[in-house]
Structure formats: C-alpha cells, structure tokens
Amino acid sequence: MPVHDFRLEKYSKQAIANFAKIILKRAIICQYLCVDSIDQQILWELQLNGRLSNQELADRVGLSPSPCLRRVRNLEDKGIITGYSARVNARAVGLDVTALVRITMNSHSSEVVTSLENKIREVPRIVEAYLMSGGADYLLKVVVRDLAEFEEFIRDDVRTLPGIASIETSFAFGITKFPTPLPLS
C-alpha cells in the first residue's frame, strides 16, 4: 500500500489557502444542509403547525421534550427556522385584490438596485418580492382592498421606485394552491 506524504511544507501558501477555503465552504454548507431525519421531521411538523407545543412536537417526532427543544433551538440558531407566523385569509380581512407586478429596470447599477430593494421592503402592500431571471427583473405580489387602492399603489409606490423602465401587472382571480410546507426529503 503506498504511503502518502501530507506535510504542509511541500504545498504553497496559495494551495493551502485554497484548500482552507474549500473546507470552510463545505463546513458552511454542512451547517445548513446537515440535518438528520429527526430534524427533517421537526421541520415538517412545524411547517404544518407552528403552534405545536414542545411536548406535542416531541411526541410527533419520537423524542423527549428536552432534546426536541434543543434541536428546535439549534435549527433556529443555524437560520434554518427563520420565524413563525399565522396565515391570514386576505379576503376575510378585506384585501380582495391580489396582483402580480413585473418590473423591468432601466439601470442595474448597485446604487439603483439597492435603493429599489430597500423601497420595496418598506411598502406594506408588497407582501412578497422576487429578483427574477428572464424578461422582468422583479416580481411583486401585492394585496389591496380594491382597484382604486391598486391604482393608488401604482401611482404612489411603484412609479416612485428608482430605475423603472416598465411595469406589467396580472391579477389573480383565485388561489388554486395555498402556500405549502417545503418538500423536505
């Protein structure tokens, strides 16, 4: 069997630095991706019902409460669980119009993009925003009471965004699939 010489002295500083970067990247990836089957069960159950008590969650995943709580806190610390919220029926609270707004930019300078994204985060009627590939640069999900409020949104919020070349809107008539848990394997 051959013997390999792994003394660091025989490698250049650049080669060692490159190797260290690879190891660090893999460690960071593992931090996010290295969840075992119990963690996956915890994530699944919390996506289905974020209001489960720790005891109920522990029972569902086959753990005692203390280790279950440690795992949940570890998933939170790693940024895998980013928060808890309630799903609210938009129509039940008077938000009858859902619009998908596609924005195309005329400038992609970092200053314009940063300004646009900061402004998007400040507008409460924009409930989701995505940076896109393809024809449009951004896709915004907007909820409002009615078309008059949507017109106000376009005039006051969208047209004031920096760097906009075009705006295109589609209106949702209904929802065929509500947000579902992420398909964890």
Side-chain angles (χ1 to χ4, degrees):
M1 177 179 278
V3 177
H4 297 284
D5 184 8
F6 287 109
R7 289 179 291 167
L8 291 179
E9 306 85 55
K10 69 184 240 184
Y11 297 99
S12 71
K13 288 182 181 180
Q14 185 61 46
I16 293 169
N18 290 342
F19 181 69
K21 285 179 186 176
I22 291 168
I23 295 298
L24 182 60
K25 283 180 185 176
R26 287 188 179 172
I28 290 169
I29 289 169
C30 188
Q31 173 184 345
Y32 291 100
L33 299 180
C34 293
V35 293
D36 63 16
S37 62
I38 294 173
D39 286 341
Q40 288 180 357
Q41 286 178 294
I42 289 169
L43 293 169
W44 181 258
E45 293 296 337
L46 287 175
Q47 286 183 99
L48 293 175
N49 183 357
R51 292 187 57 152
L52 287 174
S53 71
N54 184 56
Q55 181 65 57
E56 291 171 316
L57 180 60
D59 291 343
R60 289 184 184 195
V61 301
L63 290 175
S64 60
S66 293
C68 183
L69 185 57
R70 269 194 303 276
R71 284 176 174 265
V72 169
R73 288 192 175 142
N74 185 42
L75 292 166
E76 292 169 347
D77 291 343
K78 287 181 175 181
I80 295 171
I81 295 175
T82 58
Y84 301 87
S85 62
R87 284 190 299 260
V88 176
N89 180 331
R91 289 199 169 155
V93 294
L95 298 169
D96 292 331
V97 176
T98 299
L100 300 172
V101 179
R102 288 169 297 288
I103 294 176
T104 304
M105 305 291 293
N106 61 17
S107 170
H108 294 91
S109 73
S110 62
E111 182 180 289
V112 169
V113 168
T114 300
S115 178
L116 173 94
E117 290 179 357
N118 287 337
K119 177 77 172 165
I120 286 172
R121 287 184 199 100
E122 293 172 6
V123 178
R125 294 184 272 207
I126 301 172
V127 295
E128 293 180 52
Y130 298 93
L131 176 62
M132 304 295 291
S133 65
D137 294 305
Y138 290 90
L139 176 66
L140 312 178
K141 180 179 176 183
V142 177
V143 292
V144 292
R145 289 187 312 269
D146 52 31
L147 289 178
E149 185 179 347
F150 183 76
E151 180 184 1
E152 177 185 303
F153 163 76
I154 291 294
R155 289 179 187 271
D156 297 344
D157 295 326
V158 177
R159 286 190 183 162
T160 63
L161 294 172
I164 301 242
S166 68
I167 303 164
E168 186 179 324
T169 301
S170 297
F171 292 97
F173 293 123
I175 299 174
T176 57
K177 183 177 182 178
F178 287 92
T180 60
L182 294 176
L184 304 173
S185 56

